[in-house]
């Protein structure tokens, strides 16, 4: 792909809809013009509607549904409630749903638009860093089911995505850190250069959010290259589980107190440490990555009190095979590889040793 | 397509899965061999499990979920219940669901397999004439939502379909008549020859079900030609609404007391009558079709007591445009056409005149 500094729009090839476009914008002109054309129903995160009166003003003449976006609402039951309200708004098969919000808004609207009338068109204005740098492309929707996270879903990309950095200004520092963790995981699958750049600017990025755009574009560029080859996540795309297997289990045992992208940062550090111990990665390489990652790692420790719970969370990962842990390890930046690890005392000891040496306790 | 009398298998081209195969079988060897390979979870209509002990015997060593198939269960809530039971059976992403039952079993399994783990493989053994001659191909799943019929759904064909005429022997005469109505609607979109043949054998088909196979194959042959061109029902496939717009409204006002395919038979007769009145069809052509259709039309009348309710049901059809009735009319067998009719007193009078002259009261 050409230099993303220059281009304000790029296209993703998809098996579901031949192609869909990502546009980087600075205003809401695109939304205004959609509203003027009619035929749209906005589905907007209630918090966003409140934070951006200008948005509500633009949508004042259009049909809209405000939704409560939290993890507890990422269910089929809440999606049914959204469908009910869309029908009240007289939504028809030839209408377009406009999702405005973060990853949860995306999941709900993507899922609803997959099944309502056997599919209606949708477009997306992502408002969080995580949604802008990662989830907005890639086609997946994820819905929780009973105690199972993301058990339900479809592949259904929006027909268009509009990324407006204006939304980043209202995010908390914690949300920025989370987005940085997710971006780092893309950068490390390619090499170390962009990870180094983000590390150098780490503190200023927390405050000067306009600088994030360069990294968002690079994150999407890397993801695009992989999802265009393996949209349905059957093989090659698994490399993006890097940091996620070990990260998800951290989210589980801390009851999601650690933001996703930061848990992924710990997850990458753990994957690198295990790779080091297995002789796949040199100490120098581990240390270079650790120096970058530790800036984004919050206080956390694995110890005798929680290690068994952590191993138990790992053992429930749906990518496991024959009781072996399916995860992505690394031979160094740009060289990640899928592995299946025996879940034995050796692994347990590696995890305890890692934490003792490299994490700070709460 | 080659002569379907000779071939016991044919393939459907699909945009969703490149191709899927329909096999005509006489035994359950295919099911036995699937069971032996493991990796399957059967989802079977409870009634079928009871009627065919041989089937239950084959499935005795495999994971299975028995479901209650009735229109009231064609909901997202019941699908969630099925998912819950599939998880209890330890269903994984790489398992195959085997649906055994009629159209409702198909709708539930097709929908569940679209959304569970973002899609799992499924295969289908249709057991009703309607499912064998029509719904088993074409990719659609349909789920009711609140008071709305088939508002929710996905496009998700099975990876394989096995048609076994053995199942037809346990069907009621009414189910056979319903299937014949649905098949007639396919035959009439092509011409009159096969409709004539089914009419000649009408009485014997009700009892000697082995004779139905020839008509099932022809019905699927005609449907295949159209769905391969317009799988997602955006234009050309609309011809298959022939008889359905007027038929659905009959089902609605009779609270589904008239079986679907028989309502479609009345619907075709009405569409032909309106075509006649609009000068699109000759009386000779109307009469030829009516002679065939009336064998499959149960006692029913439109009159001053129910005509407004009938028009109101027609007015809610989702294919209407600007308050005009979207329906398929006919210039004669093989020449059906999409039209939008004003819903005025003229239409009302046509409907009353039709019923007075051509239907028998209950």
């Amino acid at each position: 792909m050409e230099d993303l500094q220059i281009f304000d729009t790029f296209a993703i090839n998809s098996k579901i809809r031949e192609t869909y476009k990502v546009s980087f914008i600075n205003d809401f002109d695109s939304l205004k013009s959609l509203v003027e054309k009619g035929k749209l129903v906005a589905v907007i995160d209630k918090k966003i509607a409140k934070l951006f009166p200008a948005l509500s003003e633009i949508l004042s003449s259009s049909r809209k549904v405000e939704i409560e976006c939290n993890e507890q609402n990422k269910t089929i039951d809440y999606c049914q409630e959204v469908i009910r309200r869309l029908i009240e708004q007289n939504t028809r098969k030839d209408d377009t749903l406009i999702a405005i919000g973060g990853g949860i808004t995306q999941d709900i609207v993507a899922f609803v638009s997959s099944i309502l009338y056997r599919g209606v068109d949708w477009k997306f204005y992502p408002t969080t860093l995580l949604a802008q740098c990662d989830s907005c492309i890639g086609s997946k929707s994820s819905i929780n089911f009973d105690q199972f996270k993301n058990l339900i879903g479809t592949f259904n990309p929006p027909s268009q995505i509009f990324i407006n950095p204006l939304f980043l200004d209202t995010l908390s520092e914690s949300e920025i850190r989370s987005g940085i963790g997710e971006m780092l995981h893309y950068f490390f699958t390619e090499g170390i250069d962009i990870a180094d750049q983000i590390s150098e600017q780490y503190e200023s990025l927390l405050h000067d959010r306009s600088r994030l755009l360069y990294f968002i574009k690079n994150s999407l560029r890397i993801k695009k290259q992989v999802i265009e080859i393996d949209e349905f996540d059957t093989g090659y795309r698994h490399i993006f589980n890097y940091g996620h297997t070990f990260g998800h289990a951290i989210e589980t045992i801390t009851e999601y107190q650690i933001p996703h992208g930061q848990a992924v940062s710990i997850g990458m550090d753990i994957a690198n440490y295990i790779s080091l111990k297995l002789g796949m990665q040199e100490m120098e390489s581990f240390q270079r990555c650790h120096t970058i990652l530790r800036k984004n790692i919050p206080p956390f420790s694995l110890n005798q009190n929680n290690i068994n719970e952590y191993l138990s969370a790992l053992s429930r990962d749906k990518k496991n095979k024959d009781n072996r842990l399916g995860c992505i390890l690394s031979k160094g930046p740009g060289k990640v590889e899928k592995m299946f690890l025996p879940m034995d005392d050796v692994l347990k000891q590696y995890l305890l040793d890692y934490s003792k040496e490299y994490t700070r306790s709460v």
Side-chain angles (χ1 to χ4, degrees), chain A residues 69 156 239 283 295 318-319:
Chain A
C69 291
N156 178 31
I239 60 166
M283 177 53 102
K295 294 191 184 177
K318 60 186 166 200
K319 296 174 294 294

Side-chain angles (χ1 to χ4, degrees), chain A residues 240-361:
Chain A
F240 291 150
N241 288 326
Y242 178 51
H244 279 68
T245 309
F246 297 106
H248 281 150
I250 289 166
E251 288 180 275
T252 304
I253 66 163
T254 59
E255 293 176 339
Y256 297 91
Q257 290 304 299
I258 295 181
H260 174 69
Q262 288 192 277
V264 169
S265 296
I266 309 174
M268 288 186 276
D269 214 28
I270 293 177
N272 292 349
Y273 184 83
I274 293 171
S275 306
L276 172 75
K277 287 293 157 184
L278 294 179
M280 291 170 63
Q281 187 167 149
E282 300 296 321
M283 177 53 102
E284 188 198 337
S285 166
F286 170 79
Q287 286 288 5
R288 264 196 85 181
C289 297
H290 178 68
T291 307
I292 296 168
L293 288 168
R294 72 176 170 202
K295 294 191 184 177
N296 206 42
I297 292 180
F300 164 79
S301 100
L302 288 171
N303 52 53
Q304 292 302 338
N305 293 327
N306 64 9
I307 187 70
N308 288 333
E309 196 189 343
Y310 185 69
L311 286 165
S312 159
L314 284 176
S315 74
R316 290 194 299 274
D317 195 288
K318 60 186 166 200
K319 296 174 294 294
N320 296 349
K321 216 187 240 175
D322 306 326
N323 300 319
R324 291 157 80 94
L325 180 68
C327 61
I328 303 292
L329 298 185
S330 169
K331 291 183 170 170
K335 291 176 282 184
V336 297
E337 278 186 13
K338 187 161 192 177
M339 300 281 285
F340 290 92
L341 299 182
M343 301 203 55
D344 54 14
D345 285 343
V346 179
L347 179 66
K348 183 174 175 175
Q349 197 55 50
Y350 287 163
L351 293 166
L352 291 169
D353 290 348
Y354 162 75
S355 188
K356 198 168 165 194
E357 198 157 355
Y358 294 104
T359 72
R360 296 165 293 143
S361 293

